[in-house]
């Protein structure tokens, strides 16, 4: 059941409001057909109409990879031979569908399998991941599948495992201890025995994220495991209460908050598989921090990012971060004694990061060197350090533009390959391109020259790479290139959007405006109705995600939907997304723009940009400006409605972290700084709290939250609700019982309510009554 409310009606202690039509100006009455036309441009309808888009491949060995191709008939899984340039079916899809259907007891469409991955097992059977569930299938003769576990592991237990380099063992967590499983026999062995509740080995809990994954790094010889014992015994708890008949379900877990005296800490250890010996590194407990994000595990592969073994497994390198992220220490531990040496450290006034999307430091014990990432010259560049002395040898890359991700390093040839942005004059500064450079310096060589956003997948031996390049307006072309000089070896696929264009779909329009300072260029995307009339005046809706860890626009590659921006535009709006100052991808000073003042939320840039667009285009009505966002964007939306009440007339704030003192400690302590409270009780966090500004609301505000949101707790929105009630303000509230951060099954209901709210309160029109969204059943 979805609850709606008006603040003037109290139900117990909770204010509920009806999302009423209000006193809208006389306008159009939209029909179900109008909404259905808009719904054609939602992702579940547009994405299937993009044919032959191959954004990435999965390498099987140095000469072969598989990928999923899609066309009007469905999905096709292909195996590509780089030596011949030919692709063939990776397996018999019809036999797999029949075997899965037999196991599941229902028909499975061979061209709509929806596999998220597959691996050919040693015995030739196919280990497939189908919508998060694993199945082991023998496609020979009488095709048959057996059910596996619902995780990324390759074994047969209930816990997700981390596979060893030799693929013979996988490590996992059970009952707060570290275990290992023999892949061939399934035999399980407990490696640690002293793990206890809230002080367990390799456990995964960042507060906002809490899973049963094991966080660890195997040694190259598969004989040792680097991990930690995570101490949460004094960490405070988060509690959520479900909605049901009878005694409610209570969820409780460790969730440290900003300013807590006791937060989660880690004690670094090395575990030997043969002896089961646990070697505790000789250093104090470390902060549960990363140089990349607000968790110790934040890379794409879900591993432990800031830890690297020496090739001979004799030493272990890692980076420790201070609680406020302002200092990072590069350290090396002796794997036999546990002795730890600090090689060097870096301190910054705001926050240290080791990359944008990937940790970029590299441990090179054989040459007694360290590759280190730093933004010390206002840009993300790579530097080479002496491992023995800890002294800087020289810069590997220099100048403007950022190294974002180091994808490969060949210590023998002293060559490094990386993705980077902003390094080519005249190219959109957000487009990722691909380079190689010598560790000894020199000008990086551009291997992917097209002025587009490049997604790169290197072969295991680094000789070749698949390059999928696209822009927000042009679909992807995927080619196979030489990692030596970038020349095209083969064409893999060219995306075709003919079926998409046949629906009337149009690409978004890239634009630039000036930031708050009147000088800095900001980049954005604009979405117009497909029936756009330049003689009309359109209300404008600003979609916002303020960062600081990402921005509003999202990927610079091709995406046919981008949330529901085009669908909303179809209902009679101009929809825009602008990456304001304080978001990543540009210079360090750009990213630092509102450090220590996260209540800024890029809003001065949003207002400046929207006003500039209004001056450029007579068809934009700046008297009707709306704004919406989710999570950090929900925070920013409410903030906009309170701080700029005469500019933003309608806002929809979904799942907002409205006061970061009630959010997980690491995120806000990185961007706002540690909590400092004066003698008078005032703190550096007071201004960022949206409830402190709620009394300034003038326009229409819809607050929404899932009641079991274990990322941003629902109490965040209730703080704002409480303040609005006390200020006697009218507002709208939508609480979704038992929903998590993204609303799950209620997400489409929320999308429809969002459309209704802007149609009614910003456009002055009347939406159709209770339109039902119609996502495809498959």
């Amino acid at each position: 059941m979805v609850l709606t409310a008006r603040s003037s009606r109290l139900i117990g202690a909770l204010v509920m409001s009806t999302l009423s039509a209000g006193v809208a100006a006389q306008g159009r009455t939209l029909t179900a057909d109008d909404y259905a036309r808009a719904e054609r441009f939602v992702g579940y309808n547009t994405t299937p109409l993009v044919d032959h888009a191959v954004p990435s491949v999965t390498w099987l060995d140095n000469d072969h990879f598989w990928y999923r191709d899609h066309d009007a008939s469905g999905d096709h899984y292909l195996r590509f031979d780089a030596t011949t340039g030919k692709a063939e079916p990776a397996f018999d899809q019809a036999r797999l569908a029949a075997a899965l259907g037999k196991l599941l007891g229902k028909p499975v469409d061979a061209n709509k399998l929806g596999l998220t991955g597959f691996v050919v097992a040693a015995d030739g059977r196919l280990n497939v991941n189908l919508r998060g569930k694993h199945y082991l299938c023998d496609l020979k003769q009488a095709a048959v599948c057996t059910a596996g576990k619902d995780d990324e592991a390759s074994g047969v237990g209930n816990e997700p495992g981390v596979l060893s380099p030799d693929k013979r063992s996988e490590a996992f967590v059970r009952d707060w201890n570290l275990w290992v499983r023999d892949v061939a026999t399934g035999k399980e062995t407990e490696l640690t025995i002293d793990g206890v509740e809230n002080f367990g080995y390799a456990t995964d809990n960042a507060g906002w994220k809490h899973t049963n994954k094991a966080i660890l790094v195997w040694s190259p010889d598969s004989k040792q495991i680097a991990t930690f014992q995570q101490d949460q015994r004094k960490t405070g708890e988060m509690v959520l209460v479900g909605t049901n008949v009878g005694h409610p379900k209570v969820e409780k877990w460790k969730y440290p908050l900003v300013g807590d005296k006791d937060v989660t800490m880690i004690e670094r250890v090395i575990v030997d598989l043969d002896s089961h010996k646990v070697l505790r590194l000789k250093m104090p407990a470390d902060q549960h921090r990363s140089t990349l994000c607000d968790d110790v595990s934040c890379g794409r592969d879900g591993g432990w990012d800031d830890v690297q073994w020496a090739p001979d497994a004799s030493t272990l390198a890692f980076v420790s971060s201070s609680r406020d992220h302002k200092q990072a220490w590069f350290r090396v531990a002796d794997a036999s004694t546990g002795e730890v040496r600090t090689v060097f450290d870096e301190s910054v006034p705001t926050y240290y990061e080791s990359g944008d999307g990937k940790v970029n430091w590299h441990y090179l014990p054989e040459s007694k060197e360290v590759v280190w990432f730093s933004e010390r010259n206002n840009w993300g560049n790579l530097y080479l350090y002496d491992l023995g002395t800890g002294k800087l040898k020289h810069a590997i890359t220099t100048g403007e533009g950022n190294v974002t991700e180091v994808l490969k390093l060949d210590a023998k040839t002293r060559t490094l390959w990386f993705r980077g942005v902003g390094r080519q004059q005249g190219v959109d500064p957000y487009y990722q391109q691909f380079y190689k450079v010598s560790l000894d310096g020199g000008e990086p060589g551009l291997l992917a020259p097209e002025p587009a956003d490049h997604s790169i997948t290197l072969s295991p031996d680094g000789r070749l790479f698949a390059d999928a390049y696209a822009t927000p307006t042009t679909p992807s072309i995927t080619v196979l290139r030489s990692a030596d000089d970038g020349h095209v070896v083969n064409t893999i696929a060219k995306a075709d959007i003919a079926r998409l264009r046949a629906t009337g779909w149009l690409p978004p329009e890239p634009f630039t405006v000036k930031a708050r300072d009147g000088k800095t260029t900001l980049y954005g995307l604009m979405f117009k109705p497909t029936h756009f009339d330049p003689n009309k005046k359109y209300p404008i809706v600003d979609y916002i995600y303020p960062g600081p860890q990402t921005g509003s626009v999202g990927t610079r590659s091709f995406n046919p939907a981008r949330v529901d921006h085009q669908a909303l535009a179809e209902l009679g709006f101009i929809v825009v997304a602008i990456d304001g100052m304080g978001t990543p991808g540009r210079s360090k000073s750009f990213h630092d723009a509102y450090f220590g003042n996260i209540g800024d939320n890029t809003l001065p840039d949003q207002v400046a940009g929207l006003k500039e667009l209004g001056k450029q285009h007579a068809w934009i009505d700046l008297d009707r400006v709306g704004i919406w966002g989710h999570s950090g964007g929900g925070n920013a939306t409410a903030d906009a409605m309170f701080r700029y009440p005469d500019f933003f007339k309608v806002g929809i704030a979904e799942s907002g972290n409205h006061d970061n003192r009630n959010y997980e400690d690491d995120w806000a302590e990185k961007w706002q700084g540690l909590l400092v409270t004066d003698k008078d009780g005032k703190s550096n966090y007071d201004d960022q709290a949206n409830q402190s500004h709620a009394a300034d609301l003038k326009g229409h505000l819809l607050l929404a939250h899932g009641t079991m949101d274990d990322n941003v707790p629902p109490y965040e929105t209730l703080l704002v609700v409480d303040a609005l009630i006390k200020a006697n303000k009218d507002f709208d509230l939508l609480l979704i019982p038992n929903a998590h951060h993204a609303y799950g099954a209620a997400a489409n209901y929320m999308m429809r309510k969002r459309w209704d709210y802007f149609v009614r309160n910003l456009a002055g029109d009347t939406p159709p009554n209770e339109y039902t969204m119609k996502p495809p059943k498959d």
Side-chain angles (χ1 to χ4, degrees):
M1 174 180 176
V2 177
L3 304 177
T4 61
R6 287 294 295 177
S7 61
S8 58
R9 300 177 184 175
L10 297 177
I11 302 177
L14 180 64
V15 177
M16 307 300 291
S17 71
T18 301
L19 301 175
S20 63
V23 186
Q26 293 296 318
R28 300 178 301 157
T29 296
L30 275 65
T31 67
D33 286 342
D34 294 320
Y35 266 44
R37 279 192 294 272
E39 193 182 4
R40 288 187 309 183
F41 302 112
V42 173
Y44 51 69
N45 285 324
T46 57
T47 300
L49 299 179
V50 179
D51 296 330
H52 310 303
V54 179
S56 64
V57 307
T58 301
W59 286 88
L60 300 169
D61 54 41
N62 293 330
D63 295 311
H64 302 88
F65 57 81
W66 73 265
Y67 62 94
R68 185 177 66 175
D69 190 27
H70 172 86
D71 59 23
S73 66
D75 292 340
H76 313 283
Y77 298 87
L78 302 177
R79 180 179 181 270
F80 192 95
D81 188 329
T83 62
T84 65
K86 295 182 179 179
E88 59 185 19
F91 50 83
D92 190 325
Q93 289 183 217
R95 291 181 70 84
L96 176 60
L100 287 170
K102 192 185 307 180
L103 176 68
L104 300 174
K106 60 181 180 181
V108 174
D109 190 329
N111 291 325
K112 295 182 179 179
L113 289 172
L115 300 184
T116 54
F118 69 87
V119 176
V120 179
D123 60 3
R125 290 182 296 172
L126 200 64
N127 189 333
V128 301
N129 187 323
L130 176 64
R131 298 177 180 88
K133 295 182 180 294
H134 281 257
Y135 303 93
L136 193 60
C137 301
D138 187 343
L139 302 186
K140 299 174 183 177
Q141 297 177 357
V144 63
C145 292
T146 56
K149 54 190 178 176
D150 302 351
D151 52 55
E152 298 297 333
S154 60
V156 293
N158 295 319
E159 303 86 0
V162 180
L163 197 63
S164 60
D166 64 10
K167 297 181 172 52
R168 295 179 179 178
S169 306
E170 58 179 4
F172 61 95
V173 175
R174 178 183 294 161
D175 298 330
W176 306 97
N177 279 293
L178 184 64
W179 292 64
V180 68
R181 178 186 299 117
D182 185 280
V183 172
T185 66
K187 180 183 177 182
E188 297 178 343
T189 304
E190 190 172 18
L191 296 179
T192 67
I193 58 174
D194 60 333
V196 295
E197 184 176 7
N198 297 319
F199 192 32
Y201 287 92
T203 52
D204 184 26
N205 186 357
W208 64 270
K209 184 184 77 170
H210 44 111
T211 78
N212 62 348
K213 281 177 50 182
I215 307 301
L216 54 87
V217 180
W218 282 92
S219 62
D221 59 9
S222 301
K223 294 181 179 180
Q224 300 177 91
I225 293 173
T227 186
F228 50 76
Q229 193 170 8
Q230 182 170 239
D231 193 352
Q232 306 174 98
R233 291 171 293 183
K234 295 182 180 179
T235 303
E237 295 177 333
M238 180 57 63
V239 179
L240 296 177
V241 180
T243 302
N244 57 270
V245 175
H247 296 288
K249 177 184 177 183
V250 177
E251 291 188 5
K252 182 171 65 173
W253 71 101
K254 295 293 184 176
Y255 191 111
L257 297 178
V258 166
D260 280 358
K261 176 185 176 183
D262 297 304
V263 295
T264 300
M265 305 290 286
I266 59 173
E267 296 184 10
R268 298 176 183 269
V269 300
I270 294 174
V271 183
D272 184 87
L273 262 68
D274 292 334
S275 67
H276 299 185
K277 178 183 176 182
V278 177
L279 177 67
R280 206 164 294 266
L281 301 192
K282 296 177 181 179
M283 61 178 293
D286 228 344
Q287 292 287 341
H288 182 279
R289 294 289 185 263
S290 164
T291 62
L292 190 63
C293 73
D294 50 331
D295 187 14
V296 294
S297 174
C298 46
R300 292 191 184 96
D301 60 358
W304 193 10
D305 307 286
D306 279 302
V307 179
Q308 293 177 20
W309 283 94
D312 65 0
S314 63
T315 55
L316 181 76
F318 59 93
V319 178
S320 302
S321 294
S322 61
R323 179 169 174 173
D324 60 7
H325 289 269
K326 292 184 179 182
Q327 189 169 12
W329 296 267
F330 182 86
R331 291 168 168 156
V332 176
D334 186 306
S336 61
T337 67
E339 295 289 343
V340 176
R341 179 173 71 95
T342 299
V343 181
F344 60 84
D345 70 290
E346 179 162 347
S347 297
V348 295
T350 53
Y351 46 87
Y352 171 79
E353 290 187 303
S354 61
D356 183 2
K358 186 178 181 296
V359 165
N360 286 324
W361 63 263
H362 280 262
Y363 179 41
L364 304 173
E366 293 170 317
S367 60
K368 296 181 173 57
E369 294 170 316
V370 179
V371 173
W372 186 248
F373 177 93
S374 175
E375 296 175 289
R376 64 189 60 170
N377 74 333
N378 199 35
W379 300 94
N381 279 297
L382 299 174
Y383 299 84
L384 194 66
Y385 276 77
D386 186 292
L387 181 60
T389 66
K391 301 296 184 181
L392 174 66
K393 296 179 71 172
H394 60 259
I396 299 172
T397 64
T398 59
E400 295 187 1
N402 299 316
V403 172
T404 56
E405 299 177 328
V406 174
L407 297 186
K408 180 177 175 60
L409 192 156
D410 188 326
K412 291 182 179 180
T413 64
R414 299 184 66 76
T415 307
L416 181 149
W417 288 261
F418 68 90
R419 288 214 302 168
V421 296
R423 303 186 66 88
Q424 304 300 128
Q425 290 292 325
V427 176
D428 186 309
Y430 290 95
Y431 286 171
Q432 297 271 359
Q433 293 182 290
F434 191 51
Y435 302 83
K436 76 170 184 177
V437 67
S438 170
L439 292 184
D440 299 314
E443 186 67 22
L446 179 61
L447 301 179
E450 294 83 0
D453 194 60
H454 293 257
S455 177
I456 306 297
T457 316
L458 278 155
S459 63
D461 62 5
R463 291 184 303 109
L464 302 168
F465 65 94
D467 173 17
Y469 60 92
T471 74
T473 61
T474 58
S476 63
I477 296 175
T478 307
V479 296
L480 187 65
R481 294 186 127 117
S482 164
D484 181 44
D485 59 9
H487 80 268
V488 175
V489 177
N490 290 113
T491 296
I492 301 170
K494 291 184 178 181
D496 182 352
I497 57 172
R499 292 195 296 133
L500 177 65
R501 285 193 176 277
T503 67
W505 177 92
L506 295 173
E509 297 180 14
F511 65 85
T512 60
V513 290
K514 295 302 181 184
R516 65 188 76 183
D517 59 7
K519 301 177 182 178
T520 304
T521 300
L522 303 178
Y523 290 73
L525 292 178
M526 178 185 295
F527 301 79
K528 296 177 182 176
T530 58
H531 47 78
F532 174 75
D533 181 352
N535 297 312
K536 289 180 60 177
K537 279 275 193 179
Y538 290 90
I540 188 167
V541 174
D542 185 23
Y543 169 76
I544 186 169
Y545 193 92
Q549 79 279 18
T550 187
S552 302
V553 174
T555 178
R556 261 55 184 196
S557 192
F558 186 80
N559 185 322
R562 294 185 181 268
V563 198
D564 62 339
H565 299 339
Q566 185 58 49
L568 180 59
E570 201 67 9
L571 297 176
F573 301 94
I574 303 297
V575 178
V576 298
I578 303 171
D579 279 345
M581 296 178 70
T583 56
R586 307 283 290 279
S587 66
K588 173 66 170 170
S589 56
F590 185 100
H591 198 189
D592 284 351
Y594 65 83
F595 171 79
N597 179 30
I598 52 178
D600 175 291
N601 273 319
T602 81
L603 292 175
D605 300 315
Q606 304 296 323
V607 172
L610 291 169
K611 286 183 176 180
E612 184 175 340
L613 288 175
K615 290 179 181 179
Q616 293 174 359
H617 307 297
W619 32 264
I620 290 178
D621 187 352
L622 286 183
D623 289 328
R624 293 184 292 168
V625 180
I627 185 169
W628 84 273
H630 188 95
S631 195
N635 176 334
T637 294
D639 195 19
M641 297 297 292
F642 301 156
R643 294 184 194 257
Y644 298 88
D646 295 317
F647 185 74
F648 293 104
K649 303 303 195 307
V650 180
I652 302 173
E654 299 179 9
S655 305
N657 52 314
H658 298 288
D659 185 341
N660 287 288
R661 290 170 294 191
N662 269 31
Y663 189 50
E664 177 265 332
D665 64 326
D666 182 50
W667 189 87
E669 288 183 343
K670 177 177 180 179
W671 309 112
Q672 179 71 13
L674 300 180
L675 178 67
V676 178
T677 304
D678 299 331
K679 292 181 179 179
D680 60 3
K682 295 181 179 180
S683 82
N684 59 323
Y685 273 74
D686 292 349
D687 185 66
Q688 62 83 42
N690 278 342
Q691 69 268 21
S692 301
H693 308 281
D696 295 323
L697 176 67
K698 291 183 180 180
H700 293 269
L701 174 62
L702 167 59
L703 298 164
H705 220 116
T707 65
M708 296 298 282
D709 188 335
D710 57 354
N711 181 337
V712 179
Y715 321 122
E716 291 272 34
T717 286
L718 295 182
L719 286 171
V720 178
V721 167
D722 183 54
L724 289 167
I725 292 169
K726 290 174 179 175
N728 195 34
K729 294 293 180 177
D730 286 333
F731 64 97
D732 295 288
L733 175 65
L734 174 59
L735 295 179
I736 305 178
N738 300 323
H740 290 269
H741 195 53
Y743 307 147
N748 288 332
Y749 177 87
M750 182 68 228
M751 179 162 53
R752 192 266 290 178
K753 297 301 284 187
R754 192 162 62 237
W755 296 1
D756 288 354
Y757 204 76
F758 282 129
V759 164
R760 181 180 295 118
N761 296 304
L762 191 62
D765 296 334
T766 301
N769 185 50
E770 297 181 348
Y771 177 80
T772 300
M773 307 296 279
K774 303 175 185 65
K777 291 182 180 181
D778 57 0

